[in-house]
Amino acid sequence: MAGIKWDQAMIDNVVSEQQLFFRTNTTLDVDWRIEQLKALKSSVKRHEKDILTALRHDLGRHPLEAYFCDVGTVILEINEMIRGVKRWAKPETHLSGILNFPSLITKVHKMPYGTVLIISPFNFPFTLSLGVLAAAIAGGNTAVIKASSKSPECTRVLRELIDDAFPADYITVIDGGHDVADMCLEARFDKIFYTGSPRVARHVMERASVNLTPVALELGGETGNWAVVRSDADIDDAARKIAFFKMCNSGQICINVNQVAVAEDVAETFVDKLKSEITRRVGEHTSQSPEYPCLITDAAYRKCADEAELYRDRIVFGGSGIEAERKYDATIIYPVSIDEDIVMHELFCPILPVVPFKDSEVDDLMDTIAGREHGLSLYVFTSDKKWADRVMTTQQYGGGCVNEVCMHMMVKGVPFGGTGHSGMGAYHGIWGFREFTHPQTVLYGKTKLNLPLREHPYGGIKNAYKDKLVRIFER
């Protein structure tokens, strides 16, 4: 299917063919789903070299970072689906209750939605397409992946990987720009899963509302993700972990630290440690390191450089780049006020604003953060476990860590998803299976000894018992 120029009729035809295949009930067989998951895993392994090469071409990823983030992660996700789907797909059995006597049994069947649309982004073009696809397959759906036009080599390899494993009437990849994405949104899908920005998510929801199509949204958050470093934190450890994360994929990660608030009595020390950690790993000028990734497009590079230029007088590290290679230095801006524009929107680049605060006023800081749009992640660094527990159980965000960054998304059996402007819905493991299935409740009735409580007539002496029994059963 390489080189196809998609139009609305072609997309509608793909969706129609997948819907016809779905109605054969082939995908309802759980053993068959497991075989498809194994086929997906095998195809990922066969195309591993091509995946790593494509990620190097589009995003400048080092092979180890590429494998860790976009190959190994996918394999682990598929493995979890293979191990768990037979158990997850079993119908739940419930007692029907006294009001339904003599009907004793009610079951909840986990039914696939049907034909689903997966709109995947450029930043993790395999994890955020194939990881979602694994959940869709486990749930018994057919799927169309609309891959990003910003990472063309990755999209090409993704298409080959899928074509190698599945027929188009089951799984297919559609490439192209925003016009093709809009064509996909015009088609009649049964479920839409979108990963990207809140701005585009509004458009996706608007289009989905025409057909009342259910959606899941995985977004970065309107005002970005906070890390909070308190005075009692291990500053060396916090700097080490935040430095790693901010450089990973050149900051193009939806759960990345967008800005860090640091207690003012340790802020200077933290900034110095952060500089040292970045330099230790890739050198003072990160853009010159062959291990340092690039920004996805020329426009993304210019946006990053222009944002940094607005704060040129407060850049304490970085602040330059190699435009021809789309590589901008990991850049620290300090000090920044909590109300400045740079901490009021998602950056999605290697710029890190550092916001000093009084540690005695940390609860006021958290109230300010809580008053903004909910982030996809929250990270706190402190030795005060009681405070950390209180914060992590009262703030609203997608997921997060205490004295760590990002690794919560690597834990098996737990959900990954946002809330509010960072998204809706969740996936990974059983949560992905649930996201792509609809629970259908079925009561299995009896034909003998049915109670007449619900039936007319209700009045008269002969029927007075009905009122009494209903009040007893429903109290």
Side-chain angles (χ1 to χ4, degrees):
M1 287 196 168
I4 288 180
K5 185 170 177 58
W6 294 92
D7 60 28
Q8 190 67 59
M10 295 168 65
I11 291 172
D12 290 344
N13 184 62
V14 167
V15 175
S16 177
E17 288 183 351
Q18 289 204 2
Q19 290 170 336
L20 286 172
F21 177 70
F22 177 76
R23 287 198 288 273
T24 67
N25 293 334
T26 301
T27 69
L28 299 184
D29 184 273
V30 177
D31 288 329
W32 187 86
R33 297 182 208 176
I34 291 172
E35 289 306 310
Q36 308 319 302
L37 289 165
K38 290 178 178 177
L40 177 60
K41 178 180 175 180
S42 295
S43 195
V44 170
K45 288 186 171 182
R46 283 195 303 274
H47 289 84
E48 178 185 326
K49 184 177 179 180
D50 295 333
I51 291 171
L52 300 183
T53 301
L55 287 166
R56 187 68 166 178
H57 181 276
D58 288 339
L59 287 155
R61 295 256 199 92
H62 185 275
L64 177 57
E65 184 177 305
Y67 186 90
F68 175 73
C69 294
D70 263 292
V71 178
T73 299
V74 168
I75 290 173
L76 289 175
E77 185 71 13
I78 296 171
N79 286 343
E80 187 174 3
M81 296 291 173
I82 291 170
R83 286 193 298 267
V85 65
K86 189 166 284 192
R87 182 174 70 256
W88 305 334
K90 284 183 179 179
E92 296 177 13
T93 301
H94 299 260
L95 292 176
S96 301
I98 190 66
L99 276 174
N100 291 309
F101 182 86
S103 303
L104 300 178
I105 299 299
T106 293
K107 291 190 176 183
V108 179
H109 299 277
K110 287 72 171 288
M111 296 299 294
Y113 279 99
T115 297
V116 304
L117 172 64
I118 299 167
I119 305 177
S120 61
F122 71 83
N123 57 328
F124 293 97
F126 296 97
T127 290
L128 299 180
S129 58
L130 299 180
V132 182
L133 176 63
I137 290 174
N141 303 274
T142 67
V144 171
I145 299 173
K146 165 57 185 75
S148 176
S149 61
K150 292 181 178 179
S151 48
E153 279 300 299
C154 292
T155 294
R156 180 186 62 78
V157 172
L158 179 65
R159 185 175 59 241
E160 292 174 357
L161 184 157
I162 293 298
D163 289 348
D164 189 31
F166 307 113
D169 64 353
Y170 177 44
I171 312 290
T172 196
V173 173
I174 291 177
D175 53 8
H178 296 307
D179 57 332
V180 176
D182 278 345
M183 292 178 201
C184 290
L185 291 171
E186 286 293 326
R188 187 67 183 266
F189 285 94
D190 300 301
K191 173 88 174 185
I192 298 172
F193 194 109
Y194 168 76
T195 303
S197 71
R199 178 183 60 82
V200 177
R202 295 183 184 94
H203 177 67
V204 171
M205 287 194 74
E206 182 180 7
R207 293 297 186 94
S209 69
V210 174
N211 294 315
L212 298 179
T213 304
V215 300
L217 306 174
E218 296 298 339
L219 316 174
E222 202 82 41
T223 50
N225 309 311
W226 284 86
V228 178
V229 181
R230 296 199 62 187
S231 296
D232 60 0
D234 184 326
I235 302 303
D236 288 345
D237 181 68
R240 174 185 177 183
K241 291 171 177 173
I242 292 172
F244 145 72
F245 201 24
K246 197 62 186 180
M247 288 189 294
C248 185
N249 209 32
S250 200
Q252 299 166 115
I253 305 176
C254 58
I255 59 170
N256 212 326
V257 177
N258 200 69
Q259 57 270 317
V260 55
V262 186
E264 59 183 15
D265 54 325
V266 295
E268 296 279 356
T269 302
F270 172 81
V271 169
D272 288 341
K273 295 288 186 181
L274 196 59
K275 293 178 189 177
S276 297
E277 281 296 325
I278 295 171
T279 302
R280 179 176 68 85
R281 293 155 193 259
V282 293
E284 185 176 354
H285 298 288
T286 51
S287 58
Q288 296 176 14
S289 170
E291 293 191 3
Y292 185 66
C294 63
L295 293 161
I296 188 63
T297 61
D298 292 339
Y301 179 92
R302 288 192 296 271
K303 182 179 179 182
C304 174
D306 289 347
E307 184 102 49
E309 200 60 38
L310 294 173
Y311 297 85
R312 173 59 58 186
D313 60 327
R314 282 179 279 170
I315 292 177
V316 295
F317 188 86
S320 62
I322 305 171
E323 185 168 3
E325 298 179 14
R326 307 193 311 276
K327 295 172 76 170
Y328 198 85
D329 287 343
T331 297
I332 304 169
I333 300 176
Y334 172 79
V336 176
S337 166
I338 196 169
D339 293 319
E340 292 192 60
D341 181 68
I342 197 169
V343 298
M344 301 294 280
H345 63 273
E346 187 182 23
L347 295 170
F348 220 64
C349 69
I351 297 174
L352 182 64
V354 179
V355 179
F357 70 95
K358 294 182 184 298
D359 195 70
S360 61
E361 299 174 2
V362 66
D363 290 336
D364 292 336
L365 170 76
M366 301 314 300
D367 283 343
T368 300
I369 293 172
R372 296 180 180 174
E373 302 299 349
H374 305 323
L376 184 56
S377 58
L378 175 66
Y379 308 107
V380 298
F381 290 85
T382 180
S383 60
D384 187 340
K385 185 178 184 298
K386 185 176 180 180
W387 177 85
D389 286 344
R390 176 165 60 84
V391 165
M392 301 308 277
T393 57
T394 56
Q395 295 282 121
Q396 290 180 291
Y397 54 95
C401 304
V402 177
N403 295 323
E404 186 53 276
V405 292
C406 82
M407 298 308 292
H408 61 291
M409 70 170 294
M410 300 297 291
V411 180
K412 298 300 146 191
V414 300
F416 176 77
T419 179
H421 282 231
S422 59
M424 60 181 68
Y427 72 120
H428 288 184
I430 189 173
W431 299 86
F433 174 84
R434 291 170 178 166
E435 190 64 54
F436 282 98
T437 54
H438 169 65
Q440 292 181 185
T441 298
V442 179
L443 181 146
Y444 291 83
K446 300 289 186 179
T447 58
K448 307 293 184 183
L449 301 176
N450 284 283
L451 295 178
L453 292 178
R454 63 190 174 188
E455 300 168 358
H456 291 286
Y458 299 140
I461 295 175
K462 288 177 59 177
N463 297 298
Y465 77 95
K466 294 182 180 180
D467 182 272
K468 293 177 181 178
L469 286 180
V470 167
R471 291 178 183 277
I472 289 172
F473 294 156
E474 292 190 331
R475 65 183 177 181

